[in-house]
Amino acid sequence: MARGRKRKSGKRYPSGKLVQPSKAETQREVTATVIETRQRHYGVTARQAKDERLGSAIGRLAFAGKISAEQLAAAELYGDLMARNRAVMGLPTSTPVSAAWLVLEQGIIGRSTTEPDPEYVTKIRKRAAAAIVMLKTADSDAPATAGRRPSVLVHNVVCHEVDASGWYLGDLRNLNHGLDALVSLFGIKTTSSLPDI
């Protein structure tokens, strides 16, 4: 009976040491895994699975044609703005992504101890407040009387990655209305037609 742990499989040097894969091989393997997972999970072809929009809940709505490219751009700007606002306010991110992030966030390794520039903080807070006010205004004149408010829908999809693929028509209309308000706020030029929902 053999003692000790089981020998790992893989290529070995003549000395018996395991050959480590190169970065290029590792990146290729990761990309292949992501593509296979997207194909299986979203029912798309290998070519479609390479579309970066499938990587986020709001991007999947754009991929499905339920929001326009301008609305996607506005949503991404809003998400970035809300993340920056949380950071300057000293709040944790809404969803920690990994244990390494927690280590960095708690200041154990690599966290900067310098305070952000007060002008930058004021600028971010004003822009975030303007976005929140714009979404609250969209709440008051939402096209669908039934369903949730546009501000809640936009925030859930963009900041909390809530899957909106199964939402009913009223919620999708309100989501589009909230995103249109952000398109207007951020001054994004509309060149494509907005989806009819």
Side-chain angles (χ1 to χ4, degrees):
M1 174 184 258
R3 293 185 144 186
R5 69 180 173 164
K6 189 176 175 182
R7 186 176 174 142
K8 293 182 181 179
S9 62
K11 292 182 182 179
R12 295 188 175 273
Y13 291 112
S15 66
K17 185 177 178 184
L18 195 61
V19 175
Q20 298 297 320
S22 69
K23 265 189 174 175
E25 286 177 320
T26 306
Q27 185 64 32
R28 248 192 325 266
E29 291 170 4
V30 168
T31 304
T33 302
V34 168
I35 288 172
E36 289 171 15
T37 304
R38 285 180 178 176
Q39 283 180 278
R40 189 175 58 251
H41 194 68
Y42 303 120
V44 295
T45 65
R47 186 176 200 180
Q48 291 172 327
K50 293 178 183 175
D51 193 324
E52 65 184 35
R53 295 177 297 176
L54 290 174
S56 67
I58 195 72
R60 288 188 292 276
L61 288 175
F63 181 81
K66 294 183 179 179
I67 65 170
S68 69
E70 291 81 9
Q71 290 171 324
L72 175 62
E76 288 172 344
L77 286 172
Y78 175 76
D80 181 60
L81 179 60
M82 289 297 111
R84 288 173 191 257
N85 186 51
R86 290 184 72 82
V88 299
M89 296 292 290
L91 301 171
T93 60
S94 55
T95 53
V97 292
S98 68
W101 175 88
L102 288 171
V103 169
L104 292 173
E105 184 61 29
Q106 296 305 318
I108 298 169
I109 299 172
R111 186 172 184 183
S112 173
T113 57
T114 60
E115 293 294 320
D117 178 34
E119 290 178 21
Y120 174 76
V121 172
T122 303
K123 176 183 167 186
I124 293 297
R125 290 182 71 184
K126 283 182 180 178
R127 291 184 70 202
I132 291 167
V133 167
M134 184 60 95
L135 286 175
K136 293 294 182 188
T137 303
D139 287 348
S140 64
D141 60 357
T145 54
R148 294 173 283 176
R149 298 179 316 226
S151 61
V152 172
L153 298 170
V154 169
H155 195 76
N156 283 343
V157 173
V158 175
C159 298
H160 299 294
E161 287 290 317
V162 173
D163 184 25
S165 61
W167 286 1
Y168 80 101
L169 196 58
D171 278 349
L172 288 175
R173 279 190 185 138
N174 283 344
L175 175 68
N176 273 279
H177 183 66
L179 291 173
D180 287 341
L182 292 177
V183 166
S184 173
L185 174 70
F186 294 132
I188 298 171
K189 296 195 186 302
T190 54
T191 56
S192 65
S193 62
L194 300 177
D196 293 327
I197 294 188

